[in-house]
Amino acid sequence: MSIREKEAWNRLVGDFRNPQSEIWKQTLLSDPDASDVEQLVEACLDGSPDEQRAAVVLLLMLSERRDQLLDEGVRARWISWLGDTVRRDYPSTLVSLPSFQAWREHDKAAAEAFLVKELPLDRARDDMGAKYVVAQLASFAAFGSEQALERLEALDGLPEDATEARRRALRELKPPTSEEVEILAESWKRTRSSDDLFRLYDRYIMRLTEGKGTIDELVKLLGPTTERRGDRVW
């Protein structure tokens, strides 16, 4: 019996959001062989949108095991389909969302180029699409892509939730200003709360590279210590 003939497949395709869907996915992927993986690729190429969505998600879950089982020719056809699907639909359809993630796994450079240069921004005007675009641009920017950061900065006219997500992402990606550090430090010294200390650590201290910022400077920033032994403070 092929994977597309199994009861778990029919249930997953018919009701992807069902709480039981994780069980169906694990059942289908319990012991896949090359034929199963090829069947999932075929579902991407010729299936209904619901079948395509289920197949892409299952292939993503297989990860390295998928690549070991995929014939090179079948793999090339799948990657080509992923790129075509993303370029045509991302992020407007449910099939295109996991397709982008899979395409990024296989061809990161092409996925990034599409996101920062080719993606029509009118597709990022609804809540769902905009939030996915913001998240992916922020992810590329976090790994050092200046182009992704520039595109993220240039996005405007987004829905409210996506605008807030963009604001948070840019705040996290960019180093804090000296004024922001001072405000965070003063809040910590005033409250001595773990929340304020975490905010200061997350926004500033953890970003310090080796050789930047001495222990004396940090002590001055954080306030009087409970105890100090050389370069270790409490």
Side-chain angles (χ1 to χ4, degrees):
M1 179 184 294
S2 75
I3 194 169
R4 295 174 71 182
E5 295 173 331
K6 293 181 179 179
E7 182 180 0
W9 168 259
N10 292 324
R11 290 186 175 183
L12 181 64
V13 170
D15 194 3
F16 193 87
R17 293 184 177 275
N18 190 296
Q20 298 293 312
S21 65
E22 291 304 316
I23 297 176
W24 301 334
K25 292 173 191 175
Q26 295 302 326
T27 299
L28 291 167
L29 299 181
S30 59
D31 187 25
D33 58 22
S35 176
D36 291 328
V37 177
E38 290 189 15
Q39 281 288 313
L40 291 175
V41 171
E42 290 301 320
C44 292
L45 300 178
D46 63 19
S48 68
D50 288 338
E51 290 177 311
Q52 291 174 329
R53 180 189 186 190
V56 174
V57 169
L58 290 173
L59 287 165
L60 268 172
M61 292 174 66
L62 279 172
S63 191
E64 292 181 6
R65 178 70 173 147
R66 170 198 64 221
D67 293 339
Q68 294 168 0
L69 293 170
L70 268 180
D71 172 85
E72 187 59 34
V74 177
R75 179 177 178 273
R77 289 169 61 205
W78 185 53
I79 295 173
S80 176
W81 175 85
L82 290 171
D84 291 344
T85 299
V86 169
R87 290 188 177 97
R88 182 182 64 244
D89 297 329
Y90 184 83
S92 306
T93 67
L94 293 175
V95 175
S96 70
L97 300 178
S99 295
F100 181 89
Q101 193 61 38
W103 192 37
R104 176 174 175 168
E105 280 190 8
H106 284 281
D107 196 341
K108 184 178 178 181
E112 180 181 353
F114 164 78
L115 203 61
V116 302
K117 297 177 181 178
E118 303 170 29
L119 173 67
L121 290 184
D122 60 352
R123 295 189 198 168
R125 298 310 182 198
D126 65 275
D127 283 335
M128 181 184 74
K131 283 188 283 189
Y132 275 100
V133 170
V134 167
Q136 289 293 345
L137 284 171
S139 175
F140 278 110
F143 283 96
S145 170
E146 293 184 4
Q147 288 183 314
L149 180 60
E150 290 171 0
R151 187 101 201 248
L152 186 60
E153 290 175 323
L155 285 179
D156 58 10
L158 301 176
E160 183 177 349
D161 287 351
T163 297
E164 177 60 21
R166 171 181 169 273
R167 186 194 67 77
R168 289 196 305 268
L170 289 173
R171 180 176 179 274
E172 293 169 0
L173 288 165
K174 292 186 174 182
T177 63
S178 58
E179 291 80 5
E180 183 182 355
V181 173
E182 289 178 8
I183 291 171
L184 291 170
E186 288 302 317
S187 180
W188 150 249
K189 286 186 281 191
R190 183 176 66 256
T191 66
R192 309 298 278 191
S193 74
S194 58
D195 286 344
D196 282 331
L197 182 60
F198 175 78
R199 292 188 190 98
L200 181 59
Y201 175 81
D202 184 55
R203 286 291 293 143
Y204 177 65
I205 298 174
M206 73 174 294
R207 298 167 183 260
L208 293 175
T209 57
E210 185 175 353
K212 183 178 180 181
T214 66
I215 191 65
D216 288 328
E217 290 171 335
L218 287 178
V219 168
K220 181 179 179 181
L221 179 70
L222 295 170
T225 63
T226 303
E227 185 178 353
R228 177 169 182 174
R229 299 175 188 171
D231 62 354
R232 303 179 66 186
V233 296
W234 290 265

